[in-house]
Amino acid sequence: MHKALRHGLENEHGSPTIRRPAFMITRNYQVLEKLVESRLQHVIASMGDWAKNQAEWRSFGLTSQAQLDREVGLFRMVLGKSFALAVEEGKTRRAENPLFWNLRNAFIRSDSIGLDRELKYAFQTFLMRSRFPKAVNELHMALADLRFPYEWYPATRMLQRTIHLHVGPTNSGKTYNALQALEKARTGIYAGPLRLLAHEIWNRFTAKKKPCALVTGEEVRIPTDADTWFHSCTVEMTPMNARVDVAVIDEIQMIASEDRGWAWTQAFLGVQAKEVHLCGEERVVPLIQDLCARIGEECIVHRYQRLNPLNVMDESLKGKFSNLQKGDAVVAFSRVSLHQLKAGIEKETGRRCAIVYGNLPPETRASQAALFNNPNNEYDYLVASDAIGMGLNLEIKRVVFEASYKFDGVTFRPLTVPEIKQIGGRAGRFRTATRETAGDTSQPSPGLVTTLDEEDLDLIRAAFGKEAPPIPTAGLFPPPAVIERFHSYFPPRTPISFVLARLREMSRLSPRFHMCDFTNAMDIAEIIKQYDLSVSDRCVFLNVPMNLRDPRQVEALRAFAKCVAEMGSGHLLDFPEIDLEVLDLARPTAPSQQVEYLHRLESLHQAITMYLWLSYRYQGVFQSQGLAFKVKELVEAKIADHLEKLSFVEEQQRSKRRRMRKLAARSERKERNLLAIDEELLPPHDEGAGQWAEEGHEEPLFDGEVAAERPPAAAAAATAADAKV
């Protein structure tokens, strides 16, 4: 059954504007319906029968197993009607068939895991259909009215701000001009998408003897010898209660991100600055102008042109490092790939290769950039993550894409047009600090863009010939105050994951906003639901930076939640769930053991990151902050040492790229197939660099190949169901 659906999804589709025949769509929806039926059995079983899980079932109004069975039967009828609307009447839009829309999109985004999750919350919502009197339902609707998010910031609305919108392509000087305004101010804020950018601005201000605080999710440095100071922060940490002269919000197009867009919306609507300078792409202009008109603030648009030409080459490197040229930057999307490429380039060319990615310590990153920018040494090449698309000062002559696809945390997918332009646009920087210091005022050569493999070049070339459509909406996520009040009108012991699902379904939004993805928040809520936490504490944990696919991190999260609930010891060494033992292990020699060793180091690093993030929010509980920073440094050194010893095997890497390219194409065809009749597409792919797994961004250590190639749980379950039949 699942195999048939996969086969339907993987048929070639061609242009997105060409619709598939209706009978093919109908067939795939019918197969999807059978898959939903089989997954529902699994979901109900996982929730436990009435006798074993009475407390939770009673919170949904069920008092016996017979009543539960009856409700399951009724829900099956509702599912049948939903699919009948899609198959027989072609009603698949969210407004006319929301249950089908949610199930289909959950399957597209996250396969069986997403489908199971959506079925669970849909069933819980169905159970609650008659639990509330009309007056309470009306109150729920009022609380879920999120059409006017600018009213969440009354102090800001009392100001008369001026919005300066700096837009243009990469290497056009837009961020430079915004930062000039910030430097001339008496007080101000810089908010950017990456920790590395927050560090760079912090270094820039402190070097000029301007007091500046650094505030990211896991690190806070406040000046001790000044009464007032600038703030340099990741956008999630933008201070909403500080009145300043100037605020700069970088990469404003990320307001469209499905995961992090809410942070840009919050910063834009809430920052208390006389002047707000937004830097980003031209396609965000209509949205920002409309939002400014709604809040009655002046919007001044500053448009910039690229300072030098940018050309896509006619040929790739044919997979050969021998075709590299001095000044080339090879871009990859995981730290393992970066280090393997570095090893291969140095072995093949006999020249040195610098390496730059966001998770490097700031000092190391700066020294590597300096080595690459210096024309008088043996560092001819650079390997870098897509973080270079976010403003690093590098003397790149040509950008070489290792691949035209990336792992987004769920699946492989092709790079989007904005991502390709953002990264490729770093070629041929107009004037770097190195050239300015040397007094070089000559006009630079055009920037060049190409790929490592010929198979990827057409997609990259096509992207530079397209204009991305205007950004239609800004991301929103309900603030804690809304969640807490909404939760207060539900029966005791109602899982907060269900409350979030209910709020998501009932929310009313303005046409200029979209709801950001609730998936991680609902999963975290499920993980910690057994602990006696206040709703306020639960809302804090909803945003904790972690990888939910890693069982070690899930166990660490449970331990941290239990510690807060019981007000226990929060000393780092009191958590056996934190895998400190890996620090005592020597680097294994067997390749299979090396992968597991690296996974353990990465899990420990992210667990420590979680601990530090929580230490700023529960200072009286998680008290080993100093020790945590020390352990973090040790783990980073271990990871760096391991990565530097990786080898490059050409045929293995070529084969790996072929497999990943196929997975990306499969994912794209799957999405197009199930959306082919609709114009109402899935929420947008994330804007910008990396996986965006946490505040401030970390490049993923692995590229997701291992996880993506495992047989999906849905396939296994469907195969088992077919065998029973």
Side-chain angles (χ1 to χ4, degrees):
M1 177 169 52
H2 188 76
K3 189 175 181 180
L5 178 58
R6 286 288 178 194
H7 177 73
L9 295 174
E10 292 172 17
N11 285 331
E12 290 293 342
H13 177 61
S15 169
T17 60
I18 301 175
R19 298 183 179 184
R20 298 186 64 82
F23 78 87
M24 296 180 69
I25 300 297
T26 298
R27 180 195 66 192
N28 288 330
Y29 286 170
Q30 289 171 336
V31 178
L32 179 61
E33 181 178 12
K34 293 180 181 178
L35 178 61
V36 167
E37 290 173 358
S38 70
R39 297 312 298 168
L40 180 61
Q41 292 179 338
H42 170 77
V43 168
I44 298 301
S46 69
M47 295 173 72
D49 58 31
W50 189 86
K52 293 180 180 179
N53 199 16
Q54 287 189 38
E56 186 163 325
W57 287 126
R58 285 183 184 276
S59 70
F60 289 101
L62 301 181
T63 58
S64 68
Q65 182 66 44
Q67 190 177 5
L68 172 59
D69 293 340
R70 184 169 61 253
E71 292 293 321
V72 171
L74 292 172
F75 183 62
R76 289 185 191 279
M77 292 174 59
V78 171
L79 285 173
K81 291 179 180 178
S82 176
F83 274 90
L85 284 174
V87 172
E88 298 170 12
E89 301 181 34
K91 294 183 177 180
T92 60
R93 295 177 178 272
R94 188 176 216 164
E96 59 194 7
N97 196 353
L99 178 56
F100 173 83
W101 195 93
N102 287 337
L103 292 171
R104 179 193 60 178
N105 287 357
F107 178 66
I108 290 172
R109 287 181 63 87
S110 305
D111 211 272
S112 65
I113 296 174
L115 192 58
D116 288 357
R117 181 191 303 113
E118 199 61 45
L119 277 169
K120 177 179 179 179
Y121 297 132
F123 180 53
Q124 290 177 334
T125 300
F126 177 76
L127 293 177
M128 298 291 277
R129 66 193 183 281
S130 59
R131 289 279 287 160
F132 299 107
K134 181 179 178 181
V136 173
N137 269 320
E138 290 175 352
L139 184 57
H140 282 174
M141 290 295 294
L143 291 173
D145 187 348
L146 308 180
R147 291 175 296 171
F148 310 106
Y150 24 83
E151 294 179 356
W152 299 344
Y153 312 99
T156 309
R157 297 288 76 80
M158 294 176 67
L159 301 176
Q160 191 60 44
R161 305 185 305 174
T162 301
I163 310 299
H164 292 269
L165 181 55
H166 303 263
V167 295
T170 306
N171 195 18
S172 60
K174 55 186 183 293
T175 305
Y176 172 83
N177 283 281
L179 290 175
Q180 288 294 304
L182 181 61
E183 288 189 11
K184 293 175 183 176
R186 186 179 60 87
T187 57
I189 296 168
Y190 170 83
L194 310 177
R195 265 192 288 273
L196 69 90
L197 289 181
H199 269 280
E200 286 201 353
I201 301 303
W202 178 76
N203 284 328
R204 176 175 177 163
F205 275 72
T206 53
K208 295 183 177 183
K209 308 300 181 184
K210 293 178 179 287
C212 187
L214 174 67
V215 184
T216 70
E218 65 182 54
E219 185 177 12
V220 177
R221 302 185 190 180
I222 304 295
T224 57
D225 55 353
D227 296 327
T228 60
W229 50 79
F230 290 85
H231 288 79
S232 182
C233 53
T234 46
V235 70
E236 285 87 351
M237 306 303 292
T238 305
M240 295 291 108
N241 57 354
R243 288 204 173 191
V244 297
D245 296 327
V246 173
V248 173
I249 304 174
D250 212 353
E251 306 295 346
I252 188 60
Q253 73 276 358
M254 288 188 65
I255 202 169
S257 168
E258 177 67 6
D259 293 324
R260 296 178 72 200
W262 63 268
W264 272 262
T265 303
Q266 171 184 276
F268 166 56
L269 295 179
V271 69
Q272 297 186 43
K274 298 174 185 176
E275 290 184 12
V276 180
H277 291 256
L278 310 175
C279 306
E281 300 174 15
E282 173 71 32
R283 61 200 179 100
V284 81
V285 171
L287 173 63
I288 297 300
Q289 287 179 325
D290 187 36
L291 294 179
C292 287
R294 290 168 185 255
I295 57 181
E297 293 181 339
E298 182 183 10
C299 180
I300 302 172
V301 180
H302 308 269
R303 288 184 167 88
Y304 302 83
Q305 299 300 315
R306 186 176 167 87
L307 300 175
N308 67 324
L310 183 67
N311 300 325
V312 182
M313 300 183 68
D314 294 329
E315 291 187 343
S316 71
L317 300 190
K318 310 294 184 184
K320 297 294 185 182
F321 295 142
S322 57
N323 291 325
L324 285 169
Q325 302 170 4
K326 184 177 176 63
D328 281 353
V330 182
V331 177
F333 302 104
S334 73
R335 278 177 273 162
V336 167
S337 292
L338 289 172
H339 282 269
Q340 288 173 331
L341 286 168
K342 180 179 185 293
I345 290 170
E346 292 184 338
K347 179 181 178 181
E348 174 73 21
T349 65
R351 304 293 290 176
R352 299 300 301 276
C353 181
I355 184 167
V356 169
Y357 53 89
N359 197 45
L360 279 175
E363 298 78 13
T364 305
R365 192 170 56 242
S367 66
Q368 289 287 301
L371 288 169
F372 174 72
N373 287 339
N374 186 349
N376 301 315
N377 63 22
E378 59 181 353
Y379 282 82
D380 288 356
Y381 315 114
L382 172 74
V383 292
S385 72
D386 45 350
I388 66 167
M390 294 288 183
L392 292 177
N393 198 16
L394 295 164
E395 187 84 31
I396 298 170
K397 295 180 181 178
R398 181 171 64 169
V399 167
V400 179
F401 285 84
E402 187 220 7
S404 61
Y405 40 81
K406 67 190 291 188
F407 186 69
D408 63 5
V410 176
T411 185
F412 286 95
R413 63 167 176 81
L415 296 173
T416 64
V417 170
E419 287 170 340
I420 292 170
K421 288 186 173 182
Q422 185 95 15
I423 298 166
R426 288 297 158 186
R429 292 301 303 274
F430 181 70
R431 185 174 294 120
T432 65
T434 301
R435 294 178 58 191
E436 288 182 350
T437 302
D440 183 356
T441 58
S442 62
Q443 291 297 312
S445 302
L448 299 174
V449 180
T450 189
T451 59
L452 183 60
D453 295 327
E454 194 71 21
E455 293 91 333
D456 297 312
L457 188 56
D458 285 345
L459 189 145
I460 300 299
R461 184 186 293 114
F464 279 95
K466 296 177 182 176
E467 289 298 329
I471 291 174
T473 55
L476 279 184
F477 193 85
V482 170
I483 296 173
E484 289 179 35
R485 192 170 176 202
F486 195 74
H487 188 278
S488 68
Y489 290 95
F490 285 80
R493 302 183 65 84
T494 301
I496 196 170
S497 56
F498 167 73
V499 175
L500 290 172
R502 178 76 168 164
L503 178 56
R504 182 192 62 179
E505 293 306 309
M506 298 184 72
S507 292
R508 286 186 290 171
L509 302 177
S510 155
R512 277 304 196 180
F513 296 96
H514 69 264
M515 189 65 76
C516 285
D517 188 20
F518 273 57
T519 301
N520 274 9
M522 290 193 291
D523 285 349
I524 289 173
E526 275 292 287
I527 290 168
I528 65 173
K529 70 179 181 181
Q530 69 191 84
Y531 303 111
D532 187 19
L533 293 165
S534 68
V535 178
S536 177
D537 286 332
R538 293 184 190 278
C539 286
V540 171
F541 273 88
L542 294 182
N543 294 309
V544 69
M546 67 172 300
N547 179 0
L548 286 162
R549 298 183 308 279
D550 184 348
R552 294 187 183 95
Q553 291 181 58
V554 171
E555 288 307 307
L557 175 68
R558 287 196 177 101
F560 296 151
K562 181 180 179 182
C563 181
V564 172
E566 299 176 357
M567 293 302 290
S569 170
H571 292 289
L572 187 66
L573 299 179
D574 291 338
F575 290 101
E577 295 82 2
I578 298 179
D579 186 19
L580 296 173
E581 290 78 9
V582 70
L583 293 174
D584 296 326
L585 299 179
R587 182 178 184 268
T589 56
S592 59
Q593 293 176 342
Q594 287 179 1
V595 172
E596 174 59 20
Y597 173 72
L598 199 51
H599 271 294
R600 287 182 66 182
L601 286 173
E602 178 74 353
S603 293
L604 175 57
H605 186 271
Q606 293 188 317
I608 297 297
T609 297
M610 262 196 285
Y611 184 94
L612 287 169
W613 190 89
L614 289 166
S615 73
Y616 288 109
R617 290 147 180 86
Y618 297 100
Q619 294 183 5
V621 178
F622 301 99
Q623 303 172 32
S624 305
Q625 194 178 80
L627 178 60
F629 274 115
K630 181 62 177 176
V631 171
K632 184 170 176 283
E633 291 176 6
L634 292 173
V635 178
E636 288 169 351
K638 284 262 189 182
I639 291 175
D641 177 68
H642 180 84
L643 292 175
E644 287 170 4
K645 294 175 181 176
L646 291 176
S647 60
F648 181 88
V649 181
E650 183 175 352
E651 186 50 43
Q652 286 182 2
Q653 295 301 314
R654 187 181 293 113
S655 176
K656 171 183 168 184
R657 293 197 296 271
R658 283 197 297 265
R659 291 195 303 271
M660 293 164 64
R661 195 178 291 117
K662 288 180 180 178
L663 289 168
R666 179 186 302 172
S667 174
E668 185 179 36
R669 288 194 295 268
K670 169 183 172 180
E671 180 172 319
R672 286 179 177 177
N673 195 312
L674 285 183
L675 291 171
I677 287 180
D678 289 335
E679 296 299 333
E680 185 179 354
L681 299 177
L682 282 172
H685 288 302
D686 276 342
E687 303 285 333
Q691 187 175 327
W692 301 117
E694 57 180 279
E695 284 185 357
H697 168 64
E698 297 283 7
E699 288 85 11
L701 185 60
F702 301 95
D703 52 24
E705 181 187 19
V706 175
E709 289 194 313
R710 289 179 186 141
T719 302
D722 290 342
K724 290 179 182 179
V725 175

